[in-house]
Structures are given as structure tokens and as C-alpha cells.
């Protein structure tokens, strides 16, 4: 049972560098999400994709871009990393949105920007 | 604006004791409510959810939660905690947009032996 798989698990970047976080789910879910988690702030939604071919901004989209490559994959790109983007990033998926539906999470990607 | 409040940042409970984690929300319509658990270094796992029907909801790992509309609360309970319950617990509410959850800041549960 792979569920939601995200890579890399750990990454250290220098300010200004770019990187892409990869995410794939094998549950045939339509909806996928990228969250960031910071101490004392819970989870904040960066971007989501309601279905293949669509993406929308969440609460904190600035400095990020996403691509819904196909139904399985949803990547998050940092074009020019900043120290404020040091965080733990979680990819997640659900069958169809969040109302009443379980969201399944990946194990997280720890990103440090120095 | 909609919000979710978990008033306790940390809670320490002795192993075998009962547990109640508080969650209050501010939301106009009938909410969809969730509790998730996050073990150290891991992603989040659904414990239970409520969206209609019986206001007492049973979840995994022996947890339950009660929805009280009059108090705008959805508190999580367990009669007897185990050391393996040490984790961070998050309450969340689903918004109208159907793709965004509002998350509480989390409550870290510490178990005393």
C-alpha cells in the first residue's frame, strides 16, 4: 500500500536555488493538495488540484508553482528559494474534495533554505 | 472568518488515564469536522470525521469525538491512553469551497509513564 509518495524526504537549498518536490498517489483520487507545516501554525494549503488538468491557489501560494502532470502526479516547484520557505511540506490526496472525504497524506518533505 | 481553535498547545497525561482534547470552530454552516493524528516524523492520519447523523463519532485506535452544535465544539476523547498515543493531534473543518480545510494549530500529547 504505497498511498501517497513524495520525494525527496530531506533537502537543503541555498537561497535563490530552485527545486521541485514530487508527489504521486496510487488511489485513483481526483483531488490533490500541497500543504506546508510550520510550528504552531497547523497546516496551510499552498495549492490544490481539484481534478486532472486544473490547479488553484490555496492560502499561501506566493513563491510556489505546481503542475498536475496526470491524475497520479502533482509536483510543487520553488523557483527561487527563500529562508521563509524553510518548512515541512506535505502532499495529500482525496477522492473528491474535502467535504466529508478523508485526505491521505504523504510522509512529508523537510526543506531547509539557508 | 472561519477558524478552528485548539486551546491547548501541550497536554500531559499519565498512561492509563482518560484524555480529552478540545476543538472549537467558527463556521456558519453545518460543518464537516475531522481529527487527524501525526506521529513524529510522519504524515497525518485520519482518526475520525463527522458530517451528519449521530453526534458521537467513533474512530480508530479507540478514539471518539462528540459534536456539540450549541458549543461549536468537536472534542476528542479516549478513556485510557497508551504510550503509543503520544503524537500531535489536529482538528480541521471543511470550508464551503470543498477543497480547503481550516486546520487548528495542533495539540501535542505527552504521555507520562
Amino acid at each position: 500500500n504505497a498511498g501517497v509518495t513524495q520525494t525527496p524526504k530531506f533537502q537543503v537549498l541555498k537561497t535563490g536555488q530552485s527545486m521541485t518536490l514530487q508527489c504521486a498517489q496510487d488511489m485513483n483520487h481526483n483531488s490533490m493538495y500541497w500543504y506546508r507545516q510550520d510550528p504552531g501554525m497547523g497546516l496551510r494549503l499552498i495549492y490544490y488540484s481539484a481534478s486532472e488538468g486544473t490547479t488553484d491557489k490555496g492560502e499561501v501560494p506566493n513563491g510556489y508553482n505546481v503542475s498536475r502532470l496526470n491524475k497520479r502526479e502533482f509536483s510543487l516547484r520553488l523557483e527561487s528559494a527563500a529562508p521563509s520557505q524553510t518548512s515541512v511540506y506535505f502532499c495529500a490526496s482525496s477522492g473528491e474534495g474535502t467535504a466529508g472525504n478523508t485526505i491521505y497524506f504523504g510522509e512529508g518533505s523537510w526543506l531547509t533554505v539557508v | 472568518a472561519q477558524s478552528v481553535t485548539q486551546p491547548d498547545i501541550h497536554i500531559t497525561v499519565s498512561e492509563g488515564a482518560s484524555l480529552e482534547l478540545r476543538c472549537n470552530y467558527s463556521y456558519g454552516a453545518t460543518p464537516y469536522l475531522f481529527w487527524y493524528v501525526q506521529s513524529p516524523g510522519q504524515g497525518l492520519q485520519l482518526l475520525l470525521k463527522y458530517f451528519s447523523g449521530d453526534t458521537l463519532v467513533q474512530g480508530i485506535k479507540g478514539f471518539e469525538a462528540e459534536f456539540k452544535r450549541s458549543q461549536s465544539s468537536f472534542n476528542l476523547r479516549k478513556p485510557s491512553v497508551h504510550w503509543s498515543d503520544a503524537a500531535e493531534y489536529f482538528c480541521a473543518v471543511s470550508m464551503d469551497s470543498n477543497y480547503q480545510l481550516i486546520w487548528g494549530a495542533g495539540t501535542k500529547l505527552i504521555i507520562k509513564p
Side-chain angles (χ1 to χ4, degrees), chain A:
Chain A
N1 291 354
V4 179
T5 304
Q6 57 181 108
T7 58
K9 184 127 181 157
F10 300 98
Q11 183 73 48
V12 178
L13 287 179
K14 294 182 179 178
T15 297
Q17 286 186 318
S18 62
M19 77 159 297
T20 300
L21 298 175
Q22 307 285 355
C23 175
Q25 53 89 10
D26 62 2
M27 295 173 281
N28 201 36
H29 284 165
N30 284 318
S31 304
M32 297 186 73
Y33 315 83
W34 276 106
Y35 288 92
R36 60 177 289 172
Q37 183 179 33
D38 301 290
M41 300 188 73
L43 279 79
R44 292 183 292 169
L45 183 66
I46 304 171
Y47 271 93
Y48 66 95
S49 171
S51 60
E52 184 179 356
T54 70
T55 61
D56 285 283
K57 295 178 180 180
E59 182 184 356
V60 289
N62 291 346
Y64 304 95
N65 286 302
V66 290
S67 296
R68 184 73 181 267
L69 305 171
N70 48 54
K71 191 171 186 178
R72 291 186 65 248
E73 298 173 288
F74 187 41
S75 63
L76 177 72
R77 183 161 177 83
L78 286 69
E79 292 290 351
S80 178
S84 60
Q85 294 179 304
T86 293
S87 188
V88 184
Y89 292 85
F90 287 97
C91 179
S93 70
S94 67
E96 196 73 51
T98 58
N101 292 315
T102 301
I103 299 179
Y104 295 87
F105 287 83
E107 293 190 341
S109 297
W110 275 254
L111 175 65
T112 301
V113 183
V114 298

Side-chain angles (χ1 to χ4, degrees), chain B residues 3-4 25 27 31-34 91-95 100-103:
Chain B
S3 64
V4 175
Y25 63 90
Y27 190 59
Y32 295 96
L33 296 157
F34 305 82
C91 182
V93 174
S94 182
M95 286 176 62
Q100 299 196 43
L101 291 179
I102 304 173
W103 294 85

Side-chain angles (χ1 to χ4, degrees), chain B residues 23-25 33 66-75:
Chain B
C23 173
N24 293 95
Y25 63 90
L33 296 157
E66 186 172 12
F67 169 57
K68 292 186 177 179
R69 186 186 301 277
S70 61
Q71 298 177 21
S72 297
S73 69
F74 189 55
N75 293 348

Side-chain angles (χ1 to χ4, degrees), chain B residues 31-71:
Chain B
Y32 295 96
L33 296 157
F34 305 82
W35 275 100
Y36 281 82
V37 60
Q38 183 180 29
S39 298
Q42 299 295 316
L44 283 77
Q45 180 186 20
L46 179 72
L47 280 176
L48 46 80
K49 60 185 177 183
Y50 169 83
F51 46 93
S52 66
D54 192 346
T55 57
L56 185 63
V57 181
Q58 302 298 321
I60 63 170
K61 305 185 180 187
F63 285 91
E64 65 179 26
E66 186 172 12
F67 169 57
K68 292 186 177 179
R69 186 186 301 277
S70 61
Q71 298 177 21

